[in-house]
Amino acid sequence: MSAITDYATLLDDAARHATEVAQFDPEGRLSLGDAYEIQSASIKRRVERGERRVGVKMGFTSRAKMVQMGLSDVIWGRLTAGMQIEEGTAIDFSRFVHPRVEPEIAFVLKHSLEGDVTGPQALAAVEAIAPALEIIDSRYKDFKFTLPEVIADNASSSGFVIGAWRDPKIDFANLGLTLNIDGRVVQVGSTAALLGHPLRSLVAGARLSAQAGEPLQAGWIVMAGGATPAEWIKPGQYVSVDMEQLGSAGFHVKG
Ligand code: OOG
Ligand code: MG
């Protein structure tokens, strides 16, 4: 077995069994190409178990997230149907290693979107937009990783929750938002935190996924990235995002 397959198996098993692993490239020596190969091979294992690909997630698209995690390259990961959590329902805490949550905006596409596209071209491919939450759960001990490691670990993706879909004609360039835990505001931000305009995150997603030979498809979801630092979640909590004009989305955490 190659090292790529070994690391893919290690990370897939860790995600599947909610166990943590030690960092395997703490100096960040692995090439980003190899890191994405590991990610691809680990998602392939999920797909072989029957999970359907439903889109992509973008990471480190806001300064808040770059600063929190100490990394500054935009990254992406693959979403499967198994990661989607129905809005308003409860997640089982034991499914996770050390989960965090962050407020995002989600797109769903009506057309495929491939390669180098402009903002208006990206917008023309959007069927709808929605307030969303991402649950990130790094498989690495203490949630610490280098850039190749987090890429290999599917950009820490673990779950996502999407609120009601809205008309993309709403101007979503700069919508105020809060992340709330048990009704208390824990983070305040704006969609403008995402590369200045969330559409830029979609443009980056179209380019990066086409480069990987998996262009964005009609019907796919694109999570644009955390607009604020992520917060730890604990059993018993109710977590929600409130977004100006778009409304809210939330989930409960079961013990
Ligand atoms: C990596 C994933 C980053 C985002 O929205 O910026 C991410 C992490 O922070 O563990 O999902
Ligand atoms: Mg995220």
Side-chain angles (χ1 to χ4, degrees):
M1 272 213 298
S2 74
I4 301 258
T5 313
D6 288 350
Y7 290 137
T9 305
L10 177 80
L11 290 166
D12 178 52
D13 285 346
R16 204 146 52 111
H17 304 302
T19 50
E20 60 183 23
V21 299
Q23 289 185 249
F24 54 76
D25 185 30
E27 310 294 329
R29 293 213 174 95
L30 205 64
S31 75
L32 301 193
D34 283 351
Y36 278 109
E37 285 292 312
I38 296 170
Q39 180 192 121
S40 165
S42 106
I43 296 300
K44 191 157 165 264
R45 291 170 60 91
R46 296 177 79 122
V47 170
E48 281 166 2
R49 290 196 297 271
E51 284 184 43
R52 192 166 44 88
R53 258 308 283 292
V54 296
V56 308
K57 63 154 284 179
M58 304 305 293
F60 304 139
T61 48
S62 72
R63 199 169 151 67
K65 283 289 301 178
M66 292 180 199
V67 169
Q68 182 176 39
M69 305 316 289
L71 295 170
S72 57
D73 294 35
V74 170
I75 62 173
W76 67 285
R78 294 159 164 96
L79 298 177
T80 67
M83 299 172 189
Q84 186 157 10
I85 295 148
E86 196 58 45
E87 201 282 321
T89 62
I91 59 163
D92 198 343
F93 193 77
S94 63
R95 229 186 87 186
F96 303 90
V97 185
H98 38 211
R100 283 171 149 166
V101 68
E102 54 200 17
E104 305 209 3
I105 183 168
F107 300 99
V108 65
L109 303 182
K110 60 182 170 194
H111 303 306
S112 59
L113 191 61
E114 183 167 352
D116 288 317
V117 296
T118 62
Q121 283 168 338
L123 182 59
V126 174
E127 168 86 36
I129 56 176
L133 291 163
E134 185 180 25
I135 301 170
I136 49 173
D137 190 29
S138 173
R139 268 53 69 165
Y140 301 106
K141 189 172 180 304
D142 300 330
F143 223 111
K144 291 219 174 76
F145 42 69
T146 58
L147 185 62
E149 287 172 333
V150 65
I151 289 169
D153 188 27
N154 201 25
S156 308
S157 81
S158 185
F160 62 96
V161 178
I162 296 185
W165 291 109
R166 311 276 180 202
D167 192 333
K169 288 200 185 73
I170 295 168
D171 180 1
F172 56 88
N174 183 11
L175 298 176
L177 59 92
T178 60
L179 175 65
N180 319 293
I181 297 189
D182 294 332
R184 191 168 55 86
V185 172
V186 291
Q187 292 289 345
V188 179
S190 155
T191 57
L194 304 166
L195 301 172
H197 192 307
L199 263 185
R200 296 204 180 113
S201 177
L202 180 57
V203 166
R207 180 172 47 82
L208 295 170
S209 49
Q211 266 171 18
E214 294 175 16
L216 301 179
Q217 304 293 310
W220 274 17
I221 290 163
V222 177
M223 295 283 288
T228 73
E231 291 282 337
W232 299 107
I233 53 179
K234 304 254 148 35
Q237 291 176 332
Y238 177 69
V239 182
S240 64
V241 55
D242 273 321
M243 211 175 272
E244 214 185 326
Q245 298 208 55
L246 300 193
S248 59
F251 63 90
H252 297 272
V253 189
K254 253 191 320 209

